[in-house]
């Protein structure tokens, strides 16, 4: 069962960043994880764990090897943290990363972003933390489905079956594509 409890602050390695979480969505995947029913896709979260994979916040600290992310920056992170070096990450398909790790921890006050130069994405001041959190999961998923897989272009018709978070994001992506 899901419980609320205190955890030690996440420790970061040389390539990681520590983020103060400002916004985190609740995804259907979080429900699947706390129900323990993602084993059918080969994904098991060790317990206890801090859930929450669609989040944004402010960088508190960075590891010694981090070059592009600095304390005080506003960032979001994709729900899948890629290694940045494998054939998939290099090809722009980090969702298929050979060393993929989920960007978990968003339900906590502080969260760790692995390989921060690759997985911490700067969030402009004009974009709210709530919108930034949505970009790392539902908008990224919708964009991939509509633009990459569906190859939707201006003038195309799009049907979206189901308008939860991903469906509504798909409608917005399709509208932005014309």
């Amino acid at each position: 069962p899901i419980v609320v409890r205190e955890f030690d602050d996440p420790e970061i390695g040389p390539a990681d960043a520590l983020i103060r979480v400002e916004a985190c969505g609740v995804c259907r995947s979080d429900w699947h994880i706390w129900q323990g029913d993602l084993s059918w896709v080969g994904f098991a979260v060790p317990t206890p764990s801090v859930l929450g994979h669609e989040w944004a916040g402010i960088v508190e600290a960075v590891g010694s090897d981090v070059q592009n992310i600095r304390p005080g920056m506003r960032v979001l992170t994709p729900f899948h943290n890629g290694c940045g070096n494998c054939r998939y990450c290099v090809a722009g398909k980090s969702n298929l990363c050979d060393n993929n790790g989920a960007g978990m921890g968003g339900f906590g006050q502080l969260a760790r972003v692995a390989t921060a130069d690759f997985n911490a994405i700067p969030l402009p001041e004009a974009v709210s933390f709530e919108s930034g959190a949505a970009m790392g999961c539902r908008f990224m998923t919708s964009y991939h489905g509509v633009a990459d897989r569906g190859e939707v272009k201006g003038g195309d018709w799009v049907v979206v079956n189901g308008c939860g978070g991903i469906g509504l994001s798909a409608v917005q992506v399709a509208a932005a594509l014309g």
Side-chain angles (χ1 to χ4, degrees):
I2 192 166
V3 297
V4 176
R5 63 173 272 210
E6 293 290 326
F7 278 86
D8 291 335
D9 291 347
E11 293 184 18
I12 62 171
D16 305 334
L18 183 66
I19 313 299
R20 180 172 28 99
V21 178
E22 295 291 330
C24 183
V26 179
C27 182
R28 178 75 177 190
S29 298
D30 294 311
W31 180 86
H32 283 288
I33 290 168
W34 78 63
Q35 294 299 312
D37 70 347
L38 283 181
S39 59
W40 59 276
V41 292
F43 186 71
V45 175
T47 56
S49 288
V50 179
L51 301 182
H53 64 269
E54 50 183 54
W55 53 274
I58 299 172
V59 178
E60 290 285 316
V62 297
S64 58
D65 295 345
V66 177
Q67 301 292 312
N68 302 315
I69 303 300
R70 297 174 312 283
M73 287 180 74
R74 296 163 40 93
V75 297
L76 67 100
T77 187
F79 70 86
H80 52 75
N81 284 183
C83 70
N85 297 313
C86 73
R87 60 190 168 142
Y88 294 114
C89 287
V90 170
K93 298 179 180 180
S94 59
N95 60 308
L96 302 174
C97 177
D98 286 334
N99 308 296
N100 191 3
M104 302 288 283
F107 290 170
Q109 293 174 325
L110 295 170
R112 173 184 158 264
V113 174
T115 318
D117 281 331
F118 189 72
N119 294 308
I121 301 163
L123 182 64
E125 288 288 333
V127 179
S128 71
F129 287 113
E130 294 82 5
S131 294
M135 287 181 206
C137 181
R138 63 192 94 150
F139 272 98
M140 180 177 63
T141 301
S142 299
Y143 184 86
H144 176 65
V146 173
D148 296 337
R149 303 293 285 186
E151 299 179 355
V152 172
K153 297 172 199 58
D156 288 349
W157 283 82
V158 175
V159 174
V160 177
N161 294 311
C163 282
I166 291 176
L168 289 171
S169 298
V171 169
Q172 290 178 323
V173 168
L177 294 171

